[in-house]
Amino acid sequence: EADIYQTPRYLVIGTGKKITLECSQTMGHDKMYWYQQDPGMELHLIHYSYGVNSTEKGDLSSESTVSRIRTEHFPLTLESARPSHTSQYLCASIMTGNTEAFFGQGTRLTVV
Amino acid sequence: RKEVEQDPGPFNVPEGATVAFNCTYSNSASQSFFWYRQDCRKEPKLLMSVYSSGNEDGRFTAQLNRASQYISLLIRDSKLSDSATYLCVVGQNTGGFKTIFGAGTRLFVKA
């Protein structure tokens, strides 16, 4: 099993709330990614990081932000949640030289 | 045009059938290729890497054609447990390593 963890697994919040989705990995991977996936739909890359203090926006425009202060931790923050943010958010990590991506179990977010 | 394109399916096949999935990618600088499997409401997991020489893992065979920028996955003797979404994945090292997922092809294997 991969050592990459996401919390919370499920979250229901009200519109306008600020939330942070946590992602941590204990494998020492330098590359980390956040994907958004609606049920039955494809994965969309929203943010990625090549290492500490490195963050980039992905292909899908997102109103979220990320930070990478420590190698093992890559949190994603929504400053003001909206119903359109309702989705599943998947975090993944890859080690340079080993190109298999390991995924967390995801956070299912519902904004009401 | 999407960087990685797959037939979305769904593919509905009987047990024991052979099924093939195709995938094309647009960036000729792509360096690594994979097939992932994603079960309903689960995270994607690596099924197999794809090498230029082609590779086989039991009932699964993956092939890569760099000239045509085409990747395939063949499943022989389909099992009910093969029902899932199969994601074609391409790795690019262009100013940093980027992993791009295709939209996935859904497979339903029926008894």
Side-chain angles (χ1 to χ4, degrees), chain B residues 11-52:
Chain B
F11 284 47
N12 291 286
V13 303
E15 271 189 296
T18 296
V19 60
F21 302 137
N22 302 317
C23 171
T24 57
Y25 60 96
S26 60
N27 190 334
S28 59
S30 299
Q31 297 181 316
S32 51
F33 310 90
F34 310 89
W35 284 101
Y36 277 69
R37 169 186 171 138
Q38 185 173 24
D39 293 305
C40 187
R41 295 183 166 271
K42 298 283 191 181
E43 72 275 20
K45 291 191 176 177
L46 179 67
L47 177 65
M48 59 196 305
S49 301
V50 188
Y51 304 116
S52 296

Side-chain angles (χ1 to χ4, degrees), chain A:
Chain A
E1 289 293 321
D3 293 323
I4 178 165
Y5 309 99
Q6 289 185 242
T7 57
R9 289 287 309 279
Y10 304 92
L11 180 63
V12 180
I13 61 167
T15 297
K17 298 290 186 187
K18 176 180 178 178
I19 55 164
T20 295
L21 308 184
E22 302 289 349
C23 177
S24 296
Q25 49 94 6
T26 57
M27 298 174 282
H29 289 177
D30 49 355
K31 298 178 179 59
M32 296 187 74
Y33 303 79
W34 275 104
Y35 292 89
Q36 185 175 343
Q37 186 179 36
D38 293 323
M41 304 298 284
E42 63 193 284
L43 287 156
H44 291 286
L45 179 66
I46 50 175
H47 294 284
Y48 56 103
S49 166
Y50 297 135
V52 171
N53 294 325
S54 145
T55 61
E56 302 284 345
K57 287 187 180 293
D59 302 320
L60 180 68
S61 174
S62 172
E63 293 157 339
S64 57
T65 59
V66 291
S67 63
R68 191 87 184 276
I69 298 171
R70 303 197 317 266
T71 298
E72 61 271 21
H73 196 211
F74 190 40
L76 179 134
T77 298
L78 279 167
E79 291 293 332
S80 179
R82 296 210 302 269
S84 60
H85 295 138
T86 295
S87 188
Q88 174 169 250
Y89 293 83
L90 286 159
C91 179
S93 72
I94 298 174
M95 185 65 189
T96 298
N98 178 348
T99 49
E100 177 181 354
F102 293 90
F103 283 84
Q105 292 184 298
T107 294
R108 292 192 181 276
L109 173 66
T110 302
V111 183
V112 297

